[in-house]
Amino acid sequence: MAKNGADILIDALLAEGVEYVFGLPGGSVIALYDALYDVPLKTILARHEQGAGHMADGYARATGKVGVCLATSGPGATNLVTAIATAYMDSAPIVAITGQVKTNLIGNDAFQEADITGITRPVTKHNYLVKDVRDLGRVVREAFHIARTGRPGPVLIDLPADVTAAALEGDVNTKLDLPGYKTFGGKGHIGQVKKMARAINAAERPVLYVGGGVIISKASEKIRELAAKANIPVTTTLMGLGVFPETQDLSLGMLGMHGTVYANYAVTNSDLLIAIGARFDDRITGRIDGFAPEAKIIHVDIDPTSIGKNVAVDVPVVGDAGMVLEQLIPLVEAKEHSEWLERVAEWKSQYPLSYQSDGDLVKPQAVVEKIDELTGGRAIIVTDVGQCQMWAAQYYRYNEPRTFLSSGGLGTMGFGLPAAIGAQFGRPDRDVFVVAGDGSLQMNIQELSTAVVNHLPVKIALLNNGYLGMVRQWQEMFYERRYSHTYLADGNPDFVKVAEAYGARGILVEKNDQVENAIKEAMKVNDGPVLIDFRTAAEENVFPMVPVGQAIDRMISGMA
Amino acid sequence: MQKHIISTLVANRPGVLARVAGLFSARGFNIDSLAVGETEQPDLSRMTIVVAGDESILEQVRKQLQKLVDVVKIQDFSNVRHVERDLVMIRVQTPPGRRSEVIELVDIFRAKVVDVGRNELIVELAGAEEKIEAFVDVVGPYGIQEMVRTGRIALARAKAEL
């Protein structure tokens, strides 16, 4: 029997090992949804396409597999754009499938038509408009291949309704045809690796600065091995949290704008900075000429465009982080670096992360610390964006890769809940916590439905301070406390009631001494989502903080 | 700012031009000229792009180009011995009695008359940038009604055998 486009697509998804498709139907994909009605793919109905996109992303980040989302043409497709851009900035592998109007209507301003390949060109690794059903098998295979190899990223397939319906006589062609595609995913140039080893062996004050690339490359163990062998302290980016256990002495935690004082001091005073799978983002470097001013810089990255983009690099190495580390470690001499580690230890004891308790007030940092304690550092923490994100990064001690999921590059508010849903589907064995703010939670709060319907025990720790907190903090510090349009509390709903209205559990916490019990209570629930509305100190700030445009050792600390 | 001639071999597919052009426009670069055509392999096209820009930003653009799935190969001819050509067609006014003067200039420049009207000629000229500019300069006074250029194309010279 001849197969039509929908059959070919579904066969291809199954062949790629896809378990879940997160999406929302619409006119141009009715036939596709009809075909999905009775196949062994689990199709998850999101309540907004952006939610579907973040679910695919959260699934991908939690599992390392490719996440798949599906939307109809026009507004369905444009609603995916933020989620696609989010995945693109953080190198998350997703395949987004969009319906399109029939090929003979393309370009005619047809109902629900949008040029989605044009719109997503700058925020996808690659995209396709499939105009002939004979290309479909190959395109789906290429899309997954491109999404997951090299530096991963989102790939979009735009599928006109008549191509979905078209019958294909003969065999489906699934042969990759990518003469121009380069992954750069191999070993490093051996000469460069040797240079790297020489620099490490000669260094007296080295620091490892590692990012999300290490997680993608599954190279966390090798970072640990290298750090242990040569006694090199390790700092991670936001995306790199979990690469190195923060409970170890060599851990410096996160660096940058809201990094630890000791990480920033260590980088500033280092004589060798070994960057692996990180990209010298402006939130990391602060003022460029004050960033690691005394250090030689080594940069290992799979993406040649990341190297030398923001800072001049002394030893560039293009390749897969894990493979380069494997080449490197035997060439690195065991070292003590005791003098350097003593200085680092001194900074650590002198400038620990800290906040002040204040009577009954619920401190957001204390909430995150309590979650850490009660989950034994084993939960998957998914964050929204802003203050909640930074507190989640600072006060939970991450031990494993893929346990901190956050929109780092794009900084997408509304990422948390849907990404946590995707993560919980991918990792049913783990506690999944969303650390959200009242601003960002409301950007995709409709996905509570998705969590309820699918009995997902996602825990939402809502750090409810009644403000767009990070912007308010900047207004307080740099705009003379003129809180222009950042106050939310007068319009906020009763979140406990909202949760209950969706069929979820809701718990209100107004006092410090209720925090522990509320989290324990939430952790007992395993058949649906729980929202804990922590009414936190309204004007709490994230510290330390490097003001924009300053060197990273110029931190403002909150403690008098 | 130095002008760069960037030659790229790309998949001959819809949308490739927009991807390539997008990398320049996203960084606010103006493309001075762009020539696209099929190559000896029909599934590949060659794009020759002339662009002026800061070296460090162009370095980033070259790497980004390399990263595009549809780009097979890329070469910057700035520091490579190469041959370059640009083809121009110019509609020149030839008022009665002055046609032969224009034809004289055409001969000097080894250009070619490809169309003749009562009061105009279309002249075709191929060559490097300076030659074309010089020709435009000398026929200018007669009145240039229209002009079209292909944009520069270039190929690397054979490697010298030692």
Side-chain angles (χ1 to χ4, degrees), chain A residues 121 127 180 182 303-304 307, chain B residues 18-19 60 63 66-67 71:
Chain A
R121 197 175 293 124
N127 63 23
K182 301 151 280 282
D303 180 356
I307 297 180
Chain B
R19 284 180 212 282
Q60 180 64 207
K63 286 178 173 178
Q66 186 81 68
K67 216 167 103 173
V71 171

Side-chain angles (χ1 to χ4, degrees), chain B residues 113-156:
Chain B
V113 173
V114 291
D115 186 61
V116 184
R118 279 192 193 163
N119 292 307
E120 62 183 60
L121 291 176
I122 296 180
V123 180
E124 170 199 299
L125 173 64
E129 182 89 12
E130 307 81 55
K131 181 176 172 182
I132 288 174
E133 276 167 13
F135 183 72
V136 168
D137 187 51
V138 295
V139 297
Y142 296 93
I144 293 176
Q145 289 182 322
E146 271 186 303
M147 183 165 123
V148 60
R149 295 174 68 160
T150 56
R152 268 193 264 183
I153 53 171
L155 279 179

Side-chain angles (χ1 to χ4, degrees), chain A residues 19 24 86 118 126 168 231 294 298 390 419 535:
Chain A
E19 302 170 276
L24 196 80
T86 303
H126 196 53
L168 174 73
N231 275 298
E294 296 161 26
I298 297 172
M390 290 301 118
R535 300 289 175 87

Side-chain angles (χ1 to χ4, degrees), chain A residues 23-180:
Chain A
L24 196 80
S28 295
V29 290
I30 291 182
L32 188 51
Y33 265 93
D34 186 63
L36 283 165
Y37 200 62
D38 41 25
V39 294
L41 274 174
K42 293 177 202 121
T43 314
I44 307 302
L45 174 62
R47 265 55 180 181
H48 187 291
E49 290 88 352
Q50 187 191 349
H54 291 320
M55 286 174 202
D57 185 342
Y59 172 87
R61 292 184 202 220
T63 63
K65 298 183 218 167
V66 179
V68 179
C69 56
L70 169 61
T72 192
S73 62
T78 56
N79 277 346
L80 278 182
V81 172
T82 300
I84 292 171
T86 303
Y88 184 70
M89 287 288 268
D90 292 340
S91 312
I94 65 172
V95 169
I97 299 159
T98 51
Q100 182 55 279
V101 300
K102 290 179 181 175
T103 47
N104 64 341
L105 293 176
I106 291 177
N108 286 9
D109 298 336
F111 177 65
Q112 292 194 329
E113 180 187 359
D115 170 15
I116 198 63
T117 50
I119 290 168
T120 58
R121 197 175 293 124
V123 294
T124 49
K125 191 171 169 187
H126 196 53
N127 63 23
Y128 293 92
L129 167 63
V130 183
K131 291 183 81 175
D132 188 328
V133 71
R134 285 174 296 184
D135 297 331
L136 186 55
R138 171 183 59 82
V139 164
V140 178
R141 216 171 137 233
E142 286 181 4
F144 277 83
H145 178 71
I146 292 169
R148 71 160 74 94
T149 53
R151 179 180 179 175
V155 180
L156 180 136
I157 303 171
D158 198 22
L159 204 51
D162 55 329
V163 175
T164 316
L168 174 73
E169 299 297 334
D171 292 340
V172 179
N173 172 22
T174 57
K175 199 160 163 270
L176 299 181
D177 179 21
L178 295 167

